[in-house]
Amino acid sequence: MACVLLTGFEPWADWSHNPSGDVARALHGTVIGGFEVVSAVVPVVHGKDIAAVVPLLVEHQPAAVVSLGLHSGASVVHVERVALNLKVIENEDAPVVEGGPDAYFATLPTRVMVAAMTQVGIPARLTYSAGTFLCNHLMYSVLHHVSSHKLDIQAGFIHVPPTPDLVVKRGGASMALTDIQRGVMAGLHAVVESLNKVVIKIV
């Protein structure tokens, strides 16, 4: 069966769990429109993130890669449009890939994904910066791998808010895990719909 690779991140720093990883695990094995969701939870470490994903691309040959990550200040789901060749470590700028393009655009149907999420009642918006930490790093790295290896794979990134339990003491915006999962599911449905349209067009 054709598949979509869905990744999330492990917990990090003082976050007791990571909703991106929670949702990825919960949706593993789900079948949407003839595509099985294959999930993985990857380390929050530069280099180890993409090192965990590349073997999965080889093994599963997914039609699309949807990566999830936590945006600690978000109150809505962010569907990312752009990944920059930039990482900031200890206040120092460095490229994600030395000599790589300045940026990549997501190849997922980002606007359709946002519309699908809002249609099921989940606040979502298209945004144009995935930041300079691991979320942008993984998004850029996956898109660079797909581009440099000329793979026929759609790829992109979704930032999700923290869950209420994570912000009780620190304060800030949040979203229930069930709503995050519902939004991601709506986004995946939009991705699969676009993949099926491509197949129909080719046939």
Side-chain angles (χ1 to χ4, degrees):
M1 180 182 291
C3 76
V4 172
L5 178 61
L6 179 67
T7 74
F9 281 109
E10 295 177 344
W12 58 282
D14 60 346
W15 298 92
S16 60
H17 66 96
N18 193 321
S20 68
D22 297 339
V23 169
R25 277 189 293 265
L27 295 181
H28 179 69
T30 304
V31 177
I32 304 171
F35 288 79
E36 182 180 8
V37 177
V38 175
S39 299
V41 179
V42 304
V44 187
V45 180
H46 288 100
K48 289 187 178 181
D49 52 350
I50 187 63
V53 172
V54 169
L56 297 172
L57 299 181
V58 175
E59 178 183 357
H60 297 287
Q61 299 182 29
V65 180
V66 180
S67 301
L68 309 177
L70 173 64
H71 188 320
S72 61
S75 59
V76 303
V77 176
H78 290 177
V79 178
E80 302 298 347
R81 187 76 181 96
V82 183
L84 298 177
N85 191 12
L86 174 66
K87 60 183 178 182
V88 178
I89 302 176
E90 297 180 354
N91 294 318
E92 294 290 335
D93 292 354
V96 174
V97 176
E98 192 71 44
D102 291 340
Y104 284 105
F105 287 107
T107 51
L108 298 175
T110 51
R111 287 182 172 80
V112 179
M113 292 167 69
V114 170
M117 292 175 187
T118 57
Q119 283 169 8
V120 298
I122 303 303
R125 68 184 180 206
L126 190 66
T127 55
Y128 294 87
S129 173
T132 56
F133 191 44
L134 265 293
C135 294
N136 177 78
H137 185 273
L138 184 59
M139 181 181 177
Y140 184 95
S141 297
V142 171
L143 286 163
H144 182 73
H145 181 85
V146 169
S147 176
S148 60
H149 288 79
K150 297 180 170 57
L151 302 177
D152 187 19
I153 300 175
Q154 293 185 13
F157 199 95
I158 300 172
H159 262 125
V160 302
T163 49
D165 61 294
L166 291 174
V167 298
V168 168
K169 293 182 179 180
R170 72 183 73 213
S174 66
M175 182 181 288
L177 187 63
T178 52
D179 287 338
I180 295 171
Q181 184 169 321
R182 197 152 54 91
V184 171
M185 273 292 291
L188 290 174
H189 274 277
V191 170
V192 167
E193 185 177 343
S194 75
L195 293 171
N196 282 327
K197 284 179 179 177
V198 170
V199 171
I200 292 169
K201 186 176 180 181
I202 291 172
V203 173

